[in-house]
Amino acid sequence: MKSYNIALIKGDGIGPEVIDEAKKVLDAVSQVYNFKIKYEEYLMGGCAYDAYKNPLPEITIQGCLKADAILFGAIGGSKWDNLPRELRPESGLLRLRKELEVFANIRPAIVFEELLEASTLKPEVIADTDLVIIRELISGIYFGKPRGKDQNHGYNTMAYTKKEIERIAKIGFQFAANRRKKLCSVDKANVLEVSQLWREVVTDVSKEYPEIELTHQYIDNASMQLIKDPRQFDVILTGNLFGDILSDEAGMLTGSIGLLPSASIGEKVALYEPIHGSAPDIAGMGIANPIAAILSASMLLKYTLKETQAAEAINQAVSKVLKKGCRTQDIAHFGAEKICSTSQMGDLITECLERG
Ligand code: NAD
């Protein structure tokens, strides 16, 4: 029987609550599909500061580096807000991403038919939307030098090397190859030289993937198209700044932050996490939506462990439960027949798996 090692980082706030449900679902699906998962738990964020005076202890880094994949909840909370920047929970996460060299952030935006009403956009616009945004994560304007500020002048540098563009472009084409074979690269090549290089390199890389239809859009047009006609997109490939903005915009297509998973991948171990934070306002109340964490576990199965049937079974189970009208409070206004707690939602998804 195949066996995998997953590093679990539950984190702070609702992190432990949602990761417990994701683990519940992983355990159930591994039995159905006959593989074994071993977990090692590590601390990161505020809880790690409390235990070690360090938001990312060495033991966590080493544990993550030897795992097959990492499943992470969320970190942060007001308790740690007054610490020096390098000791704050968020610094732990940024340092972990750096240690893992995860250069590609993958964020799917899938609109569940049952939750069409949950979006602020018209149902007929967003119905059947199924897209993924691939954002370059560790370069571009957030890291470019020189950068600085004085009283009269603030500046940053948006820079990409050919190598950095090539490696993220390859991830984009590989994702498109396993989907509907359409890749839209988003840049600002009409104004920025860095975007001109981006466009040239992406076009060059596309020659290795003749089956993929490549298009280009400027970021201003892409942000408009995304809410005008999101169904036109399959895979969107873009840089760090544009991706940061577009992925939040795409997130709003689906209605609740509690539904959205993500993956960060690179040369080493991949990190899977819901896009939401630690939600201190609802932590400990048992009402957090665990679906984003559960779908992050599904991405882990699909992209790292290649257990694609098990991943699909989780996605189907989530759909079935939503179809039955089961809702956590954040999505309670939309077709709810039964309001569930965090753990009830995990149980229901697990039951659907077992019967599936
Ligand atoms: P947040 O995502 O934690 O919460 C925003 C709102 O969404 C809150 O009202 C919250 O209750 C709700 N929400 C979030 N996840 C939910 C879920 N699964 N189910 C139901 N409702 C949910 O963002 P915030 O309030 O800006 O930040 C809170 C803390 O989280 C801060 O310390 C911040 O730094 C941290 N944070 C961490 C991450 C991360 O760990 N990756 C990401 C963003 C924010």
Side-chain angles (χ1 to χ4, degrees):
M1 188 189 286
K2 275 189 240 164
S3 176
Y4 306 108
N5 296 310
I6 294 185
L8 274 191
I9 302 180
K10 296 182 177 180
D12 307 317
I14 62 167
E17 299 166 47
V18 296
I19 291 300
D20 282 348
E21 300 315 306
K23 180 171 176 290
K24 192 189 275 176
V25 173
L26 276 175
D27 284 338
V29 85
S30 64
Q31 282 187 13
V32 176
Y33 287 91
N34 214 22
F35 57 88
K36 196 168 163 43
I37 298 182
K38 289 189 210 140
Y39 306 92
E40 290 284 348
E41 275 191 42
Y42 298 98
L43 297 181
M44 181 172 77
C47 55
Y49 174 79
D50 289 347
Y52 299 99
K53 295 282 170 282
N54 179 353
L56 182 64
E58 189 57 29
I59 187 172
T60 299
I61 301 174
Q62 293 311 324
C64 287
L65 285 172
K66 67 179 199 307
D68 292 317
I70 305 156
L71 185 61
F72 159 58
I75 42 104
S78 56
K79 181 179 173 193
W80 304 283
D81 277 354
N82 294 325
L83 288 171
R85 193 176 52 82
E86 67 282 6
L87 293 179
R88 290 180 53 161
E90 295 76 10
S91 302
L93 178 57
L94 291 178
R95 268 176 45 215
L96 181 66
R97 286 181 179 151
K98 215 170 173 176
E99 290 284 348
L100 299 171
E101 291 173 53
V102 283
F103 63 83
N105 183 246
I106 319 291
R107 269 209 211 177
I110 302 162
V111 174
F112 290 98
E113 196 191 326
E114 305 74 27
L115 293 177
L116 280 179
E117 301 291 334
S119 173
T120 50
L121 298 181
K122 288 181 185 151
E124 61 268 29
V125 174
I126 55 164
D128 300 321
T129 293
D130 177 3
L131 62 89
V132 56
I133 297 191
I134 301 198
R135 163 190 171 195
E136 199 291 326
L137 199 59
I138 57 174
S139 185
I141 196 164
Y142 293 167
F143 296 91
K145 291 192 177 123
R147 60 191 296 162
K149 170 169 104 35
D150 60 30
Q151 277 182 330
N152 298 311
H153 185 208
Y155 55 96
N156 292 86
T157 302
M158 189 191 275
Y160 274 110
T161 63
K162 184 177 172 194
K163 208 171 143 226
E164 286 169 339
I165 304 168
E166 273 171 356
R167 68 179 183 180
I168 188 80
K170 282 184 181 164
I171 298 275
F173 283 106
Q174 282 158 16
F175 265 79
N178 289 314
R179 292 176 49 97
R180 300 194 305 279
K181 303 196 170 21
K182 283 168 55 174
L183 183 121
C184 178
S185 172
V186 173
D187 61 39
K188 189 70 184 165
N190 50 342
V191 179
L192 301 174
E193 283 82 356
V194 57
S195 281
Q196 287 160 11
L197 181 71
W198 178 280
R199 196 173 275 220
E200 284 162 22
V201 175
V202 171
T203 305
D204 264 1
V205 173
S206 76
K207 292 175 190 146
E208 293 168 39
Y209 302 88
E211 76 282 16
I212 309 293
E213 177 196 321
L214 170 67
T215 54
H216 302 273
Q217 283 185 12
Y218 299 132
I219 176 64
D220 37 354
N221 183 31
S223 41
M224 189 176 74
Q225 294 297 331
L226 195 55
I227 48 173
K228 186 177 165 218
D229 177 19
R231 275 186 297 255
Q232 71 182 279
F233 295 109
D234 178 15
V235 177
I236 295 177
L237 171 72
T238 190
N240 205 342
L241 173 65
F242 301 151
D244 194 2
I245 300 164
L246 278 189
S247 55
D248 269 21
E249 191 188 341
M252 276 317 294
L253 301 172
T254 67
S256 171
I257 197 170
L259 297 167
L260 295 168
S262 80
S264 298
I265 61 180
E267 314 285 355
K268 299 179 184 170
V269 187
L271 175 69
Y272 294 85
E273 56 178 304
I275 72 154
H276 59 72
S278 59
D281 53 334
I282 57 166
M285 294 165 70
I287 59 171
N289 190 341
I291 290 180
I294 290 168
L295 292 177
S296 301
S298 160
M299 288 182 81
L300 184 158
L301 289 176
K302 181 170 176 179
Y303 296 122
T304 294
L305 306 187
K306 312 292 180 208
E307 295 286 353
T308 44
Q309 282 184 315
E312 189 48 32
I314 293 179
N315 299 347
Q316 291 301 329
V318 169
S319 278
K320 273 189 221 163
V321 168
L322 292 175
K323 224 168 240 150
K324 286 184 186 167
C326 306
R327 307 276 187 270
T328 42
Q329 275 189 9
D330 54 314
I331 47 173
H333 301 304
F334 312 103
E337 306 250 330
K338 173 178 162 40
I339 304 298
C340 309
S341 67
T342 308
S343 67
Q344 283 169 334
M345 182 56 96
D347 288 343
L348 287 166
I349 293 171
T350 305
E351 281 164 27
C352 277
L353 276 175
E354 285 164 351
R355 281 201 290 269

